[in-house]
Amino acid sequence: MRASDTNKLPPDIKIRNNLKPGDIGYLTYLHGKLYAEEYGWDHTFEGEVAVILGEFAKTHNARNRIWIVEKDGTVAGSIAIVEASERNAQLRLFLLHPSLRGHGIGRILMDEAISFCRESDYSHVFLWTAGALNVAAKLYRSTGFQLAEENTHEMWGAVVTEQRYDLNL
């Protein structure tokens, strides 16, 4: 992280780029628990997150990066960039514990992720999200992402409108 961004964080918040033992399980749990509480999604969403994190851990390389947010040493959020192709990156696993939302941490994570994409010579980054995540969508749009596609269907035990956002770098 850039020192200027680190200075904006509260003293009990740290952001790191390395996976430690337990991170995959804890991030899977956090995604599953929070999205069940906030949106009523079932265990199948948690299973999908587990697959994404497992693949990330196995294929971690210089073109992929994860940012792990810790509050007082406990995992409290994440964002990741994964290589989709030589020129295209996918933003994934963006989540902050509710107690950390609204303090600019999400903006720092987005800025870090987009900067990493530029530094890694990606020309395009995309993400998939759910239409119900209005605050996240507002952040995506404020960083230049544009809504490109929407599909509504049953998944994760609910009716979900998936949205794809794209950003040309």
Side-chain angles (χ1 to χ4, degrees), residues 22-91:
D23 284 347
I24 291 169
Y26 202 88
L27 282 170
T28 299
Y29 165 80
L30 193 60
H31 275 80
K33 184 166 176 33
L34 292 178
Y35 282 105
E37 290 172 358
E38 295 175 0
Y39 302 102
W41 297 353
D42 67 14
H43 67 282
T44 60
F45 174 72
E46 189 172 356
E48 189 167 322
V49 171
V51 168
I52 292 166
L53 279 161
E55 286 300 313
F56 180 86
K58 292 190 309 187
T59 60
H60 187 66
N61 63 47
R63 305 242 325 139
N64 299 334
R65 181 165 294 169
I66 192 165
W67 291 260
I68 308 282
V69 179
E70 292 182 337
K71 179 177 172 42
D72 295 322
T74 301
V75 173
S78 65
I79 196 169
I81 294 293
V82 297
E83 182 178 33
S85 69
E86 184 180 335
R87 304 294 291 152
N88 296 303
Q90 183 174 5
L91 187 147

Side-chain angles (χ1 to χ4, degrees), residues 1-7 108 111-116 119:
M1 278 197 46
R2 288 177 268 293
S4 61
D5 289 336
T6 303
N7 294 336
I108 291 170
D111 290 347
E112 285 289 315
I114 292 169
S115 291
F116 173 77
E119 292 162 9

Side-chain angles (χ1 to χ4, degrees), residues 15 33 43 49 60-62 68 81-82 93-94 96-97 104 113 118 122 125 128 135 137 142-143 146 154 169:
I15 299 176
K33 184 166 176 33
H43 67 282
V49 171
H60 187 66
N61 63 47
I68 308 282
I81 294 293
V82 297
L93 303 166
F94 185 38
L96 278 175
H97 189 277
R118 287 188 171 108
Y122 289 116
V125 60
W128 284 96
V135 175
S142 75
T143 57
Q146 295 182 348
E154 271 192 54
L169 300 173

Side-chain angles (χ1 to χ4, degrees), residues 105-169:
I105 299 167
R107 168 65 70 173
I108 291 170
L109 291 173
M110 286 295 298
D111 290 347
E112 285 289 315
I114 292 169
S115 291
F116 173 77
C117 288
R118 287 188 171 108
E119 292 162 9
S120 299
D121 264 348
Y122 289 116
S123 59
H124 180 261
V125 60
F126 69 95
L127 64 91
W128 284 96
T129 189
L133 282 70
N134 296 319
V135 175
K138 182 177 177 185
L139 179 58
Y140 302 143
R141 289 188 302 272
S142 75
T143 57
F145 281 89
Q146 295 182 348
L147 181 62
E149 185 178 337
E150 283 188 313
N151 302 299
T152 300
H153 44 260
E154 271 192 54
M155 60 192 300
W156 309 321
V159 175
V160 177
T161 299
E162 285 189 297
Q163 297 177 322
R164 178 182 164 134
Y165 280 84
D166 290 282
L167 173 65
N168 290 320
L169 300 173

